[in-house]
Amino acid sequence: MTPTESATYAELLALAERRAGELAPTRGKAVAFRAKPDVDTIATYFALHMAGAAAVPLDKALPDALMDEYRRKLQSESPADGTADILFTTGTTGRQKGVMISADTILANAENLVEAQGFTKDVEFIINGPLNHIGSLSKIYPMIYVGGTIRVIDGMRDLNAFFRAIEAVEGRHAATFLVPANIRMLLTFGRAKLASLSGKIEFIETGAAPMAQSDMEALCAALPKTRLYNTYASTETGIISTFDYNAGECIAGCLGKPMRHSRMEISADGFVTCSGRTLMLGYYADPELTARTLSGGSIKTSDMGCFDAQGRLRLSGRSDDVINIGGFKVSPSEVEDAAMRTEWVRDCICVECEHKILGKTLKLIVVTDGRDIDVRALAAAMGERLEAHKVPTTFERAESIKRTFNGKLDRKAYKA
């Protein structure tokens, strides 16, 4: 079958209704499918919901053997009552978990975004990320909710395709979601072109990983009239809060106030705890992990933070990322942010290493603009922004930094 390239709302509805009829026998079951960047995938997604099945979108390039493995796993037991989606995510342990999400949660996430970020029928949202993860998948329902236009492109490998998608939008109505790694890529290789399109971009949301202060400031400078949102969300908690860092205060780690259907608290030991309509139902086929994670209608995350005087969430790091050096606890993201303010540093990651004399110390692995690392200059520049114990003692140059599929620094790979 030739994939459908475009569809009106009426055509999408007709296609989804026809497929829902074909999928009627799957009611109450979990159905896996490859999440490709096309109309047919979106129609299948809606059709499964209409048929009363749980939609399980998986990587578009998943090998057949792995697809069969997922399908066997999903036959092991029925999903919890009310499950609309099962999204597989890899946590800090490296273990794959199927997060069950209800239709009510999907709607609550949509309403959170519509209200907090100003989705309207005039917006054309450019989806460039994988539709099997919350960052991009969560933009489908709010756009349908307001009657806007969705344009799906195949990732960010082709920056020209991304720019053409923005150019095709009429007026100042383009919007998109970009992980921090994609923003870094745009600023490095396409800053001038991006700035030339500032009159077309209404808003950009980012999430999934911390964004460097230097990148935030550069994006604000390139797009002075664009709303730029930093959002706090996860597959388990749903979409919780957001902050427009281009509205006068460009603050790294600031993620705003809770949205309409979400609540946040800081636990006694400093961790962000989320509640409200956006939480997951639980983990598929894993009641023990569900009980440990979802307790009393709330989820205690691994994120450490506090509320500022305006009631906005300020993250300080993740408990599993913190490095203990000589009794001092160091958040590697703070070190990385300081390094990224150096003009010739293109990317970096701060890791723990062994030193013959000092024992455990900090090492900074750096991608440069082609030049060798000037260790003395870089350490001095970082020392102007960090306490002495947070400045790395070892520096190493690399051609690239390992990242996960959604642009997060792959810290587990370096620990291994």
Side-chain angles (χ1 to χ4, degrees), residues 278-322:
T278 62
L279 301 191
M280 68 173 182
L281 292 172
Y283 292 110
Y284 174 75
D286 199 334
E288 292 183 6
L289 182 59
T290 298
R292 291 199 304 271
T293 307
L294 182 58
S295 177
S298 65
I299 292 176
K300 183 178 179 181
T301 73
S302 297
D303 297 311
M304 299 176 294
C306 63
F307 295 119
D308 64 16
Q310 287 75 43
R312 301 172 303 195
L313 176 63
R314 299 282 194 95
L315 288 189
S316 55
R318 290 182 61 86
S319 61
D320 38 21
D321 290 341
V322 169

Side-chain angles (χ1 to χ4, degrees), residues 224-264:
K225 296 182 180 179
T226 298
R227 302 197 305 277
L228 300 174
Y229 294 105
N230 204 353
T231 296
Y232 185 60
S234 72
T235 313
E236 286 89 342
T237 64
I239 300 166
I240 300 295
S241 66
T242 198
F243 173 66
D244 181 359
Y245 58 89
N246 203 16
E249 293 182 277
C250 187
I251 309 169
C254 184
L255 293 151
K257 298 179 181 180
M259 297 177 180
R260 176 181 172 187
H261 296 299
S262 304
R263 303 288 181 272
M264 290 189 293

Side-chain angles (χ1 to χ4, degrees), residues 66 85 92 101 112-113 121 123 154 166 193 286 306 324 339 347 363 365 381 388 397 400 406 408 414:
L66 280 178
D85 290 356
T92 55
I101 299 170
N112 273 359
L113 287 170
K121 64 180 179 59
V123 167
D154 192 6
I166 296 175
K193 180 65 174 179
D286 199 334
C306 63
N324 194 322
D347 203 1
K363 176 168 73 172
I365 303 173
R397 184 180 172 190
S400 63
N406 60 0
K408 292 182 181 179
Y414 289 94

